[in-house]
Amino acid sequence: MRVEARAPRRGSVVWRYFGDARNMLLGPPLLVLQVAHPVVGAGVLQHSNYREEPWQRLVRTYLSLSTVIYGGQRGAERETARLRRLHETIRGVDDQGRRYHALHPEAYLWVHATLVQGGVDAHRTFGRPLTDAQTAEYYADMRQVGLLLGLREHHLPADWASFRAYYDERVLNRLEDNQAVWDVIDSVRHLKKPLAVIPSFVWRPVGAGAGRLAHLVLVGALPEVLRDRLGLTWSPEQERRLRRFARVVRGTMALVPPPLRTAGGRMAARIVTARADRRERHDPPAGHDRAPARLPAG
């Protein structure tokens, strides 16, 4: 009998830490980790416009993740069902002749896993590391999020120790160097203007500085084995620069009350939920006339 997955509870470890603004700093390395998986990389190359609209894609991803974490049970179920429907059509053959489908559990789990690990890594790097008890609770709740996404019980590692063993094995044996990885790295190093109205002479120095900093975080936060596989260098001086930046972030965020650190995510969830409610009121059958796509059991 399938147990109903639950959305994160108000006040839980996931609620308090996953949407922390500092987590966004690890967005670039998480995206590299995701597209280094051959299925994800092929799907992004052939079905995504992230190279032309990186900021729009970032906003959509932020809104979606925020809704799953802070949208309550109904909001999370509705958003995860939408994500599965969206990924149904993402399939094809990659440049090595391998067939892929975005809803393949192995690839779908990997994307979820990067988000799970990213939340822990962000607080270890830019804040206060989670305790062992907090990490165990955090993983248990994120495991429920995985079930909401459509993964099955047997897909998901049972506890944090099992998850860490799975994660390290995937990095070591499954991730690869591909074009999507280098497209992401290039887009981070050479950030496009987020808004067309920003004058180029204003954005040029701002974008260059932000790109260098984002690239520093990207390379420094990648697992060493993947960094070496991609031929990315990491020097003691880069390590010192990353640590200095982390200290600045840590000190600045210490001045921000904890509820405000997740305020953006909670506000995003309210906006998405309100929009979805309005759509359902105007067109009720669209939200209820078909079952959401499920991931295969394999």
Side-chain angles (χ1 to χ4, degrees), residues 255-272:
L255 304 175
V256 179
L260 290 183
R261 298 171 192 167
T262 59
R266 289 182 281 113
M267 178 63 72
R270 285 197 290 270
I271 292 171
V272 172

Side-chain angles (χ1 to χ4, degrees), residues 71-82:
Q73 189 69 26
R74 184 164 176 263
E77 289 178 351
R78 186 164 51 190
E79 179 60 18
T80 53
R82 185 192 71 83

Side-chain angles (χ1 to χ4, degrees), residues 3 96 241 261:
V3 178
Q96 296 186 41
R241 286 167 52 202
R261 298 171 192 167

